[in-house]
Amino acid sequence: MPFWPAYPTPHHSNTPIILETKVKPLPFPDFAASLLTPFRANPLLFNGHLQTFWTAVKWNDPHTIYYARQRLQSPADGGHFAVDFVVLEPFPSAPASTEAMGGELPPRTRDMMEEEVVKLGSDDDTPMVIALHGLSGGSHELYLRSVLAPLTRKVEEGGSGFAACVVNARGCALSTVTTGQLFNARFTADLRQTVRYLQEVYPRRPLYALGFSFGANILTNYIGEEGDKCVFKAVALCSSPWNLEVASKALHRTYLGSEVYSKVMGGNLRNLFEIHIDNFSGDPRIDVDLVRRGKYLYEFDRDFTAPIFGYATVGAYYRDASSVDNLLKAHVPTFILHAKDDPVAVDEAVPYDEVKANPYCFMATTPTGGHLSWFEYGGGRWFARTVRSITPITTEYNIDIIPGRRFLHSIRNRGGRS
């Protein structure tokens, strides 16, 4: 890997949407490319594996965020899930927070107090971001907080002044599971319910979304399912696996992929399974002992995820849950970041053709950066800086479809550049 700055390579449609800016109409790729900066990789992390391994090192955590947890219920199956709202300050006087399962909440996270729930409704127009974490992660993850911390900091303190919340997948971030399922890469019901809820309590807030890895795959499926009815002003997708069947086969083609990445991800999912075992132990669709004996990610998906969600095989699940085809249906400005040496979201699964076929998409690739990593010299993350620069500026625009031409019309900017 070269130690000099790597300039991101843009990928986009030849007939993109046009942005109606305050100065002049601007093609979406020109707008997006103007926000990109060179990636100056840490010379000690000179390949995708080292970049990815470094994410597990907790030597530097400058991104302090406090959350208040609200529990929502999905009408799809009656299950509950946890949404963590970013709050500017902790409330030391609040009682200790525990879930029904008896476990403590993640660091700097507390239950939302009743008086806060009552006050949730607001008529303000503060831009709001919904974030989706990676596989078996949660709102506590450092990669996620590295983006949300500067976005939610007050403008006068150098931030962007956004509101934000994180949708935790069921069972993740020490949340309680109330039905006989966890989550899968096609399960968009909880995100859909979160959007409905936010539209009810904050009817004037423009909504944006960020997806990381597994969460990026779910988010892509959601915006594809919603099509031209999607309410998001823009979305950003980081290190998405895209084609799950291709990504799974690629993982097991190498020793590190099989014996490190797949084992770690499979182990994390089995830990979630064990924590919530009372919800699954009597389910005739699964063999508990078989799930426990598994080692790899695909084995957990084969023995638990696929049968729980009604798929005949793990391959059927991977093909249906892959987000490649849904990217073609996206009708919101979609920013995509991908490192070509990502050992988890492998390059061969990336939908280069689909990006070029959809005028709403723009993808930037870097030759290195690993999985949700992109560590630069000094410890900062290129993707966090890039996503932060993209999101506030998009508050200047609002999608309007006009027969024969697509425009993004200018509205008031909050915290972004003019």
Side-chain angles (χ1 to χ4, degrees):
M1 186 198 84
F3 295 159
W4 53 83
Y7 290 88
T9 301
H11 307 267
H12 54 81
S13 169
N14 290 327
T15 56
I17 56 174
I18 304 298
L19 308 183
E20 184 76 11
T21 71
K22 295 178 180 178
V23 179
K24 62 180 180 179
L26 190 66
F28 182 30
D30 293 356
F31 166 76
S34 70
L35 309 178
L36 298 176
T37 58
F39 170 47
R40 296 175 171 84
N42 188 318
L44 298 179
L45 306 176
F46 51 81
N47 62 39
H49 295 299
L50 292 174
Q51 283 273 339
T52 303
F53 293 161
W54 195 246
T55 61
V57 178
K58 302 291 192 298
W59 68 276
N60 184 24
D61 184 359
H63 306 293
T64 299
I65 286 183
Y66 297 96
Y67 293 109
R69 176 162 293 185
Q70 172 77 319
R71 294 170 186 83
L72 302 182
Q73 185 174 18
S74 172
D77 68 331
H80 294 78
F81 60 99
V83 180
D84 291 342
F85 287 79
V86 176
V87 291
L88 296 181
E89 296 179 356
F91 289 80
S93 60
S97 299
T98 57
E99 291 264 355
M101 57 177 274
E104 295 293 333
L105 293 182
R108 296 179 294 275
T109 304
R110 58 173 175 77
D111 285 324
M112 187 172 288
M113 295 181 287
E114 290 185 11
E115 53 266 36
E116 291 179 285
V117 176
V118 173
K119 295 178 181 178
L120 266 183
S122 173
D123 200 37
D124 69 78
D125 60 354
T126 304
M128 186 160 192
V129 169
I130 303 173
L132 281 76
H133 58 79
L135 183 67
S136 72
S139 59
H140 58 283
E141 297 287 357
L142 180 54
Y143 62 77
L144 187 149
R145 289 186 286 114
S146 69
V147 176
L148 292 191
L151 270 179
T152 56
R153 195 175 300 127
K154 296 179 181 178
V155 175
E156 55 268 28
E157 297 175 358
S160 301
F162 271 56
C165 67
V166 181
V167 181
N168 293 295
R170 299 190 190 187
C172 293
L174 299 179
S175 61
T176 301
V177 175
T178 59
T179 62
Q181 68 180 49
L182 289 174
F183 50 83
N184 73 57
R186 186 62 189 263
F187 189 71
T188 57
D190 292 350
L191 173 57
R192 185 167 287 104
Q193 180 60 18
T194 302
V195 172
R196 290 172 182 163
Y197 178 76
L198 293 176
Q199 287 184 299
E200 290 176 3
V201 296
Y202 299 118
R204 295 187 60 214
R205 286 188 176 182
L207 299 179
Y208 301 82
L210 307 175
F212 301 91
S213 189
F214 185 83
N217 191 85
I218 294 176
L219 178 54
T220 306
N221 280 328
Y222 172 81
I223 62 176
E225 291 167 1
E226 293 293 294
D228 58 7
K229 296 181 177 62
C230 186
V231 300
F232 292 142
K233 301 302 181 184
V235 304
L237 309 170
C238 300
S239 299
S240 177
W242 297 109
N243 189 321
L244 305 186
E245 190 170 38
V246 170
S248 177
K249 290 179 178 179
L251 271 183
H252 288 270
R253 196 178 298 142
T254 66
Y255 178 83
L256 284 177
S258 176
E259 300 305 312
V260 177
Y261 300 116
S262 184
K263 271 190 175 180
V264 168
M265 290 187 287
N268 290 339
L269 289 174
R270 281 190 296 279
N271 288 338
L272 285 179
F273 175 80
E274 289 294 341
I275 291 172
H276 306 285
I277 188 65
D278 290 344
N279 294 77
F280 317 125
S281 57
D283 196 317
R285 294 172 294 181
I286 62 169
D287 182 332
V288 171
D289 291 334
L290 183 62
V291 176
R292 285 173 167 167
R293 289 197 300 270
K295 295 181 180 179
Y296 305 107
L297 173 60
Y298 82 89
E299 291 177 325
F300 183 88
D301 287 334
R302 179 195 66 196
D303 301 332
F304 179 79
T305 306
I308 285 292
F309 285 95
Y311 292 101
T313 66
V314 65
Y317 160 52
Y318 284 161
R319 288 187 293 274
D320 182 63
S322 294
S323 59
V324 176
D325 290 340
N326 269 317
L327 185 65
L328 291 169
K329 304 173 186 176
H331 276 70
V332 297
T334 302
F335 298 85
I336 302 166
L337 300 180
H338 166 67
K340 295 179 73 67
D341 66 354
D342 190 324
V344 177
V346 295
D347 191 58
E348 63 189 278
V350 173
Y352 288 95
D353 290 340
E354 286 73 14
V355 167
K356 294 178 181 178
N358 188 335
Y360 286 89
C361 293
F362 176 88
M363 179 167 66
T365 62
T366 56
T368 187
H371 187 68
L372 289 178
S373 303
W374 283 288
F375 286 102
E376 297 186 299
Y377 187 78
R381 299 194 188 200
W382 174 82
F383 84 87
R385 185 176 72 249
T386 303
V387 170
R388 188 205 168 186
S389 71
I390 288 170
T391 311
I393 296 177
T394 59
T395 63
E396 296 183 51
Y397 308 102
N398 186 22
I399 286 186
D400 184 21
I401 304 298
I402 298 177
R405 196 176 183 189
R406 298 183 178 95
F407 287 94
L408 298 182
H409 286 286
S410 178
I411 60 174
R412 181 166 63 96
N413 178 25
R414 297 181 58 87
R417 307 175 201 168
S418 58

